[in-house]
Amino acid sequence: MRKWKAFLACFLIVILLSPSVIVNAEASNYTYTYDFWGLYQSSPDAYTPIENISGSALGVGDFKDPQGLFIRENRIYVCDSGNNRVVILRFENETYEVIKEISSVTINGEESTLNNPTDVFESEDGEVYISDCNNQRILHLNPDGSYQKQITKPTDGTILEQSDFLPIKLVVDKAKRIYVQAKNVNKGLMEFDHVGDFTGYVGANKVQVNFKDYLWKMISTKAQRAQMELFVPTEYNNVCLDEDGFLYATTSTFDQGNIENANPIRRLNSMGTDILVRNGWYNPNGDVDFADAGGISGCSRFVDVATMAFDSYCCLDRVRGRIFMYDFQGNLLYAFGGLGNKLGSFLYPVAIASMGERLFVLDSRAGSFTRFDLTAYGNLINAGIKEYKLGEYEASSNSWREVLKLNGNYDLAYIGIGRALLRQGEYKEAMQYFKVKKDFENYSKAFQLYRKQWIEENIVTILLIVAVIIIAPKTVRFVKKVKKEVFEE
């Protein structure tokens, strides 16, 4: 019995001291990630919720069903959709100041009120664009808030005459091209030029075909086919523009049974081609493992995306109220958030935006937005990514080693160190880090380079051995031949 107790005590000591399970004492289930095996791993918090701000706290009255959030420098735009206005704030020295409220514009001497504004965008030169949804228009305002022009339903053969023009989300690039996500439009994002003329669609989704329905449609009568749902591409639900001018678009309409091919987040180039890198263990689709509980079911459904520095981006999941942060390779850095009434949780999240490294999330049901600030742990992760992208590989490796001190379970820290060593030419050591965390692709790269390096360093020795192998038998035969001839004489 004593032997068993001693064995159990030793086993517990080994487990507790093992580097593979070292996690900061402050780690909680609020923040987590997934390992190679798809297992949930708790993590120290990368972001911490600081405050929840309502309209009444700002002195502008309660927000009612707000739908849009946009940030430019230190200016925060809130589309207070239910109150038919856009509230503009300035965030400075940890305080919020109301700059302006836009509830109407003057057009040709007449006041025109907003009706369910759902999104807003400020260009680099200060001009403001508003998706005035129920008025079926996009308002273009000057930096001082005065009216410049409006964009209404285009006259185009691809748009049905009886359909409404309901702009939901929009962004504007440096060339003043306007990209609009309109309700019930599944041909992609609508594109308008700088004068407001419609020029076509960008990034149309691929058609999602159910084979069983397709087969049934092939053998159905004409009347039956007319009653069946058409095979049409799914529509986007939000759009964002990164600092390089690429469009990020989200969609939550896809077959849950085919989540691996759903691609709910996409990065579109000027041709509308999806160029998002997906080199992680799992595609950037949100939760890898999920269960149906508490009236919540199904996979993650992204409703918005915010881009960060160095091609990182975060996606907002409406199903479970979580935020998923990904790096430039599509690796999940961490996820956090949830549904509820406490600070850092949401009732019905609809929009996310970044101010530097800060994050702001808009909750339509709570009528407020929550501010998140980066923690020291999150800052180390960002530093590791930043330094690697800038070519500062030694510094990147050091940052990832500091991450491991806080979270020994963090797989990407091992891989980050391995990538930095790979760039530094330390191929053998890099192989060890990749092997630990099952990064087979990078391990193969490191092995090939290490093999080449080893051959180059040992080429003289290799040639000598080869020479010996080739020459030695001939030498032995020659000596035997000479001996034979001598003894015969």
Side-chain angles (χ1 to χ4, degrees), residues 164-366:
D164 293 330
F165 176 57
L166 301 173
I168 305 296
K169 302 294 178 180
L170 60 79
V171 293
V172 183
D173 67 12
K174 295 180 180 180
K176 294 297 182 70
R177 290 184 294 249
I178 307 169
Y179 298 93
V180 178
Q181 182 264 315
K183 190 174 181 179
N184 298 327
V185 172
N186 52 30
K187 298 179 178 68
L189 300 171
M190 302 180 73
E191 180 183 343
F192 299 83
D193 63 19
H194 67 285
V195 297
D197 293 334
F198 177 65
T199 57
Y201 300 94
V202 174
N205 272 308
K206 292 183 179 179
V207 175
Q208 301 293 324
V209 179
N210 183 298
F211 179 75
K212 181 181 69 174
D213 291 341
Y214 178 78
L215 185 62
W216 174 249
K217 189 173 183 178
M218 292 290 292
I219 62 176
S220 299
T221 64
K222 185 175 181 181
Q224 288 173 328
R225 288 197 298 270
Q227 294 177 358
M228 294 179 65
E229 182 179 0
L230 295 175
F231 299 136
V232 295
T234 55
E235 62 184 271
Y236 294 117
N237 57 20
N238 220 320
V239 61
C240 175
L241 194 69
D242 72 4
E243 58 186 10
D244 296 321
F246 292 102
L247 294 167
Y248 282 74
T250 58
T251 179
S252 57
T253 307
F254 51 82
D255 180 8
Q256 180 175 312
N258 192 26
I259 181 66
E260 285 301 316
N261 298 316
N263 297 336
I265 173 70
R266 307 172 191 194
R267 190 187 193 202
L268 307 175
N269 61 15
S270 58
M271 300 298 292
T273 304
D274 181 13
I275 58 171
L276 188 72
V277 179
R278 300 178 176 88
N279 288 338
W281 290 324
Y282 310 97
N283 285 343
N285 298 336
D287 276 316
V288 176
D289 185 26
F290 52 86
D292 299 342
I296 302 171
S297 63
C299 60
S300 301
R301 303 276 180 174
F302 293 154
V303 294
D304 199 6
V305 55
T307 59
M308 313 291 285
F310 302 101
D311 295 333
S312 295
Y313 55 95
C314 55
C315 301
L316 181 63
D317 169 32
R318 178 176 289 170
V319 175
R320 293 176 180 83
R322 292 171 180 170
I323 300 166
F324 296 85
M325 183 71 72
Y326 296 95
D327 70 3
F328 61 97
Q329 287 289 317
N331 296 299
L332 176 63
L333 299 176
Y334 42 80
F336 62 96
L339 297 176
N341 291 309
K342 66 180 182 180
L343 182 64
S345 298
F346 316 103
L347 298 179
Y348 198 75
V350 293
I352 187 170
S354 63
M355 181 186 290
E357 293 182 328
R358 287 191 173 100
L359 291 176
F360 292 79
V361 177
L362 184 66
D363 189 332
S364 67
R365 190 166 296 166

Side-chain angles (χ1 to χ4, degrees), residues 83-140:
N83 289 320
N84 300 318
R85 62 178 178 173
V86 174
V87 179
I88 308 174
L89 313 171
R90 179 183 291 112
F91 178 70
E92 197 168 16
N93 298 323
E94 302 295 313
T95 60
Y96 301 87
E97 175 191 358
V98 178
I99 301 175
K100 184 187 300 184
E101 292 183 46
I102 302 175
S103 58
S104 64
V105 293
T106 302
I107 303 176
N108 298 326
E110 296 184 5
E111 185 178 20
S112 177
T113 59
L114 303 185
N115 189 355
N116 189 33
T118 53
D119 201 17
V120 60
F121 188 94
E122 180 193 317
S123 63
E124 291 183 352
D125 56 7
E127 296 180 343
V128 177
Y129 300 77
I130 301 173
S131 292
D132 193 9
C133 183
N134 287 0
N135 280 328
Q136 302 191 47
R137 65 184 178 182
I138 297 168
L139 287 174
H140 182 183

